[in-house]
Structures are given as C-alpha cells and as structure tokens.
Amino acid sequence: MAKILCVLYPDPESGYPPKYARDSIPEITSYANGQTAPTPHDLGFTPGALVGCVSGELGLRAYLEGLGHELIVTSDKDGANSEFEKHLPDAEIVISQPFWPAYLTAERIAKAPRLKLAVTAGIGSDHVDLDAAAKAGITVAEVTGSNSISVAEHVVMTVLALVRNYLPSHEIAVRGGWNIADAVSRSYDVEGMHFGTIAAGRIGLAVLRRLKPFGLHLHYTDPHRLPHETEQELGLTYHPDAASLVEAVDIVNLQMPLYPSTQDFFNDAMFARMRRGSYLINTARGRLVDRDALVRAVESGKVAGYAGDVWYPQPAPANHPWRTMPYNGMTPHISGTSLSGQARYAAGTLEILQSYFEQRPIRDEYMIVAGGALAGTGAKSYKLD
Ligand code: NAD
C-alpha cells in the first residue's frame, strides 16, 4: 500500500461545490502538435467540475482507495509543522500544483526516503529541486500540454488589456465615471506593434499563432529554433538571444521554464535594453523577474504595463509590490487552472498514476526527471545548472 500526498489549493470561500456558470466544457482530444490529451481509464470526476481544490481531490480518491492506497489531500504546505511535512517521510508519491506549490526542496527530499514519484498536476516543475530529485532517484513527471492553451489565451487577453488600458477604463465605468480622456491617455492599438516571445515552446508558439490575426510583427527567441515552415507561415523574426529581442519589440512575453540559470533573468540590465514604454507579460514563473528591478522599471516608465499570474513565493505575501504597482494586470496564479485546464491536468495525473501502478511507462513527453537525469520534456526545456 502506498501513501499518496496531494497538495491542492484551498476550497472556494463560498463553499464547495461552487455554483457552476455553465453545464459542460468542450471535449478536447488532441493538441496542435498532434499529442493526444490524457487517456486514463475510470475517470473519477465530471469534466468541468472544480477538482483543483482540496475537496475536488483531482477526482483521484475512488481510484486510489480502490487499489488499497492511502490518499492524503491538504493545502497546508509551508513550514516544519505543516501537514505536508508531517506526511512526507512516509509518502511514495507527492502530487502538487504550480498554482499552490508544495516546494520540494533538497532539505525536504532528504526527509522523504520513500519518495519515488513527484507529479506536477499542471506544467512547470520548478517547485521541485530537480537536481536533488535526480540524485535521490525520484521520477518527476508533469502533464505536458494539458493547460498550454489555457495559458496562451491568458497571455493574449493581457496583451490586449495592457495595451488598450482596459483595466483602468473598466474601473472608471465601475466607479460611475465617464472620463474618456483619462481612460485613453494610455490606450493604443496593438496593430502594427512588435511582439516577441522569449521561448516558443508549446505555450509561446500558441501565443504567436493566436496573435497573428491582430496584425502584429512577431518575434521569438528559443534555443530550439522552430521549423522554417512555421517561421514563414507566421512571418517570424528569430533572435539569437533575449537581449536582441527586447531591443526590437514593444511587447515582451516571457515563457521559458525556471531553472537555476534563468532565475532573475529579467534584471536591471535586461530592463535597460527595452524600449521605453514596453509591456511585459509573464505567465511563466515569478522568479524569472527580479522583483524590485521590475518595480524600478515601471516607476521609470521603461515598462508601461506588466501582467501575468506568477509570483514568488506562492501564495504571494499581501505586501508584495507587484500587487499594487501602477499599470499592472496581475492575477493570482490562475491562467493554467481554468475549469477547462483542470479537466485535462487532473485526467493526466490519473494517467500518470495508472502508468506507475500498472508498471507501464509514463509517456515520454510527461517526463522531467527519470533515472537520475533530465528526461523527456525535461531534457528539452530545463537545465540543472
Ligand atoms: P515547453 O516545454 O513546451 O517549452 C519551453 C520552451 O522554453 C522550450 O522551447 C525551450 O527550448 C525554451 N527555453 C528553455 N530555456 C530557454 C531560455 N533560456 N531562453 C529561451 N527559451 C528557453 O513548455 P510550455 O508548455 O510552453 O511552458 C513553458 C513554461 O510556462 C513552463 O515551464 C511553466 O513555467 C509555465 N507555465 C505556466 C502556467 C501558468 O498557469 N501560468 C501553466 C503552464 C506552464
């Protein structure tokens, strides 16, 4: 019998289950690159239900208890006295979500001698110390592709919201005002602007495709260059590095994974290269951006607007400066956990667990660390140094 320790975000303050706005979600069976959506058997929830919070349990309980395993679900993840640390020494599998990450540091891994599998219910496994996991022989897997479009849609939304000055204009309407001059003093069309994404993996490429009809000039940089036909189809300008990209564009999208050498990637030096009045969108990870350098860049006017949904740590403290700095369109970490996205990453988590317990290989594209080294998508997208 295995102990599975699952950390999920707390239930809605208004109670569980919520009153749903819609009765169903569209069924998505495959992604743009041809990869199929998760195909587990015995799905334990109705797609469209809120399964990402504690009471939702990712719909896993019936399956796991049916096999005689023990499932612990908690949101209490931080500190030595947390439920997470209490159960970690006996856990064989840990499941966590980037939205409410249970940080699996080297110290915590040392306290988890039975741990064999760390599953990210979502995409982005930087909350796990991948080097320590590799050295401890722990497999790290995530549900690659599951919420890529959820995030890409959020990026497109924030590009338009920032450039068109949507949020302050909406506030004027809510407050009973009609001051058009104030609303439009910072409002532009995106048409004709230059947009660049730093990383054009699953999400970055989906963003480029979705922005193409808006008449933007599209740029990207990525250590893995896209196929020539894709560059031609979308009219992409390739940059060998991020520094040359940020000098050439008006809107920057940050979409690469966080690993040791990308921490604080956006620092004072990078901001200095940007055009005055640039917009920066970050749905990748909060620690890619130097917190205080961003505040300085907004105050100086170098950055005209910042949006995204990722912070460090998570949950962000109430006094985190990105909550209140001007011209921000920040949200809590929500883009990848729409009800639509949840349905796929919860199904993918079940698929990974079924592969593990039925001793079948976990899909290669889900692998981040295996056999003591980066593997699968991890080998393509992450570095350990
Ligand atoms: P992906 O693996 O498909 O693509 C990542 C791309 O980053 C790869 O093409 C890789 O070559 C590129 N890359 C790696 N290092 C780079 C560098 N130094 N400079 C430029 N490019 C680099 O991953 P994805 O599905 O597109 O997701 C990307 C990231 O987005 C995830 O790692 C995660 O951190 C974040 N994410 C956030 C949410 C959310 O809810 N906000 C949801 C999903 C993913």
Side-chain angles (χ1 to χ4, degrees):
M1 188 181 99
K3 180 186 264 193
I4 295 100
L5 176 54
C6 181
V7 177
L8 300 174
Y9 46 76
D11 286 356
E13 288 179 3
S14 50
Y16 188 92
K19 191 170 183 312
Y20 294 105
R22 296 178 56 79
D23 299 326
S24 63
I25 57 169
E27 193 184 352
I28 307 292
T29 54
S30 64
Y31 308 142
N33 63 359
Q35 182 188 321
T36 54
T39 50
H41 55 83
D42 301 317
L43 192 66
F45 64 93
T46 304
L50 177 63
V51 288
C53 64
V54 170
S55 291
E57 299 181 325
L58 298 177
L60 296 174
R61 186 167 296 280
Y63 166 71
L64 289 171
E65 291 187 346
L67 294 180
H69 300 307
E70 183 186 5
L71 174 66
I72 307 286
V73 183
T74 181
S75 61
D76 183 16
K77 67 186 183 70
D78 293 319
N81 297 321
S82 60
E83 284 290 296
F84 182 69
E85 290 230 359
K86 186 173 122 197
H87 290 285
L88 192 56
D90 312 323
E92 181 169 328
I93 300 176
V94 164
I95 303 169
S96 177
Q97 298 180 108
F99 323 103
W100 188 263
Y103 294 106
L104 206 46
T105 58
E107 295 72 33
R108 281 177 157 179
I109 286 173
K111 292 183 196 164
R114 299 186 174 192
L115 187 59
K116 295 203 171 66
L117 176 65
V119 182
T120 302
I123 302 174
S125 296
D126 49 277
H127 58 282
V128 180
D129 184 323
L130 298 179
D131 190 37
K135 288 184 176 129
I138 296 166
T139 297
V140 181
E142 62 183 44
V143 193
T144 307
S146 58
N147 56 15
S148 312
I149 301 307
S150 321
V151 179
E153 290 185 2
H154 195 94
V155 174
V156 172
M157 174 183 77
T158 50
V159 166
L160 292 168
L162 288 183
V163 176
R164 303 198 57 85
N165 206 31
Y166 169 66
L167 290 168
S169 307
H170 176 64
E171 275 303 306
I172 290 172
V174 170
R175 287 199 310 268
W178 198 259
N179 197 330
I180 292 172
D182 283 304
V184 302
S185 296
R186 296 180 66 90
S187 177
Y188 300 88
D189 295 352
V190 297
E191 185 179 28
M193 284 191 173
H194 288 254
F195 171 91
T197 185
I198 300 175
R202 290 169 180 79
I203 301 173
L205 178 57
V207 170
L208 291 167
R209 286 196 186 287
R210 279 157 182 73
L211 285 177
K212 173 78 177 155
F214 284 92
L216 288 145
H217 303 281
L218 301 174
H219 303 242
Y220 82 102
T221 183
D222 194 300
H224 296 94
R225 199 157 172 173
L226 291 166
H228 181 64
E229 312 81 71
T230 309
E231 289 189 354
Q232 285 220 308
E233 176 200 342
L234 298 175
L236 302 179
T237 303
Y238 174 75
H239 293 262
D241 54 38
S244 75
L245 178 138
V246 303
E247 287 170 356
V249 304
D250 307 291
I251 309 162
V252 177
N253 178 49
L254 205 44
Q255 211 68 72
M256 89 259 245
L258 174 68
Y259 46 83
S261 57
T262 57
Q263 194 173 316
D264 289 337
F265 184 84
F266 251 87
N267 50 24
D268 285 314
M270 190 67 86
F271 282 118
R273 289 176 175 270
M274 297 177 96
R275 296 176 170 185
R276 191 185 87 81
S278 290
Y279 303 90
L280 179 59
I281 320 282
N282 177 16
T283 55
R285 284 296 177 259
R287 286 182 106 181
L288 294 169
V289 176
D290 177 328
R291 189 192 72 171
D292 297 329
L294 170 63
V295 174
R296 287 190 286 277
V298 171
E299 282 169 355
S300 73
K302 196 73 161 172
V303 167
Y306 182 83
D309 65 337
V310 284
W311 313 67
Y312 184 78
Q314 289 191 176
N319 65 354
H320 193 295
W322 295 0
R323 289 183 185 267
T324 48
M325 67 184 177
Y327 317 125
N328 91 77
M330 292 296 289
T331 62
H333 194 162
I334 57 158
S335 69
T337 185
S338 58
L339 295 175
S340 323
Q342 284 176 41
R344 290 185 296 273
Y345 72 66
T349 302
L350 179 61
E351 184 191 309
I352 290 170
L353 293 176
Q354 289 174 343
S355 301
Y356 177 82
F357 286 119
E358 292 165 17
Q359 292 169 1
R360 289 183 281 107
I362 295 169
R363 290 191 205 200
D364 194 51
E365 67 253 31
Y366 289 171
M367 302 308 284
I368 302 299
V369 167
L374 291 173
T377 294
K380 186 184 168 212
S381 296
Y382 288 81
K383 287 185 192 153
L384 291 182
D385 54 354

